[in-house]
Amino acid sequence: DFGAPKVDIERLRAHKAKVVGKLTGGLAGMAKARKVDIVRGYGSFLDAHHVEVELTEGEGQHKTGAKEVIRFDQAIIAVGSQAVRLPFLPDDPRVVDSTGALQLATRPRRMLVIGGGIIGLEMGTVCSSALGARLDVVEMLDGLMAGADRDLVRVWQRFNEKRFDRLMLKTRT
């Protein structure tokens, strides 16, 4: 006999931080071992061998005010990503992007996922499977995961439909 399962949100967050730390630390270590310089910021090519970078710091893309011109023979530009802030959403701690969804302080019982794209559905699925959250999804297009093979999306949707209370397609937020 086993009791009802319990989610320890702090242990879950600590495990996530450990995994992210290993991944990012591993990449930084590999770059250092190969004598690769990593520069974070907003870059503009000056010519075929120079780029000017407005340096950033912290978790976001906060500009420091410093600039650096880098000369190169070959360059790798790894742009990363940043969630779009929808202007009609309130500035409220309950409204989170994909990064914030991985840093939740409490266990959500219900979530509204705005947009039926891969990342939003992934975050919703994680919160549903790991934390038991019920999901409502609103998507303005007529299907989920635009650009993905429709047959595969139907299989995914059928497998995951038990997580959704409402799936609202062709709906604007």
Side-chain angles (χ1 to χ4, degrees):
D1 287 336
F2 296 95
K6 292 182 183 178
V7 175
D8 184 337
I9 194 90
E10 288 306 316
R11 281 186 61 202
L12 188 63
R13 289 175 71 193
H15 176 70
K16 185 263 316 175
K18 183 177 174 185
V19 170
V20 169
K22 281 184 180 179
L23 291 173
T24 56
L27 288 173
M30 287 172 47
K32 184 177 180 180
R34 289 167 176 78
K35 297 182 176 129
V36 172
D37 292 326
I38 298 173
V39 180
R40 286 188 56 204
Y42 293 91
S44 300
F45 286 97
L46 300 175
D47 58 37
H49 294 284
H50 294 88
V51 65
E52 180 180 68
V53 180
E54 292 181 77
L55 302 178
T56 59
E57 64 184 2
E59 291 292 319
Q61 293 294 321
H62 305 288
K63 293 180 182 179
T64 64
K67 292 183 180 183
E68 187 175 331
V69 175
I70 301 167
R71 189 197 182 294
F72 59 86
D73 291 323
Q74 297 176 330
I76 297 173
I77 308 297
V79 297
S81 66
Q82 192 169 355
V84 173
R85 177 83 178 137
L86 300 174
F88 56 84
L89 292 176
D91 185 19
D92 186 302
R94 296 172 299 167
V95 177
V96 296
D97 58 18
S98 57
T99 302
L102 291 172
Q103 299 170 340
L104 293 173
T106 60
R107 180 178 168 200
R109 302 227 184 277
R110 297 184 49 83
M111 294 184 80
L112 172 64
V113 178
I114 299 176
I118 290 172
I119 293 175
L121 292 173
E122 179 183 30
M123 292 298 102
T125 301
V126 167
C127 289
S128 175
S129 62
L131 304 175
R134 298 297 304 162
L135 304 176
D136 291 326
V137 178
V138 61
E139 168 57 52
M140 66 182 204
L141 299 177
D142 61 355
L144 299 175
M145 294 183 257
D149 182 281
R150 294 292 93 198
D151 292 334
L152 294 176
V153 172
R154 275 193 292 280
V155 170
W156 182 92
Q157 193 170 336
R158 194 169 34 254
F159 182 79
N160 286 285
E161 65 189 354
K162 64 189 174 294
R163 301 179 193 286
F164 305 131
D165 286 339
R166 289 181 293 175
L167 179 57
M168 299 165 271
L169 300 176
K170 298 182 188 174
T171 304
R172 292 175 94 64
T173 305

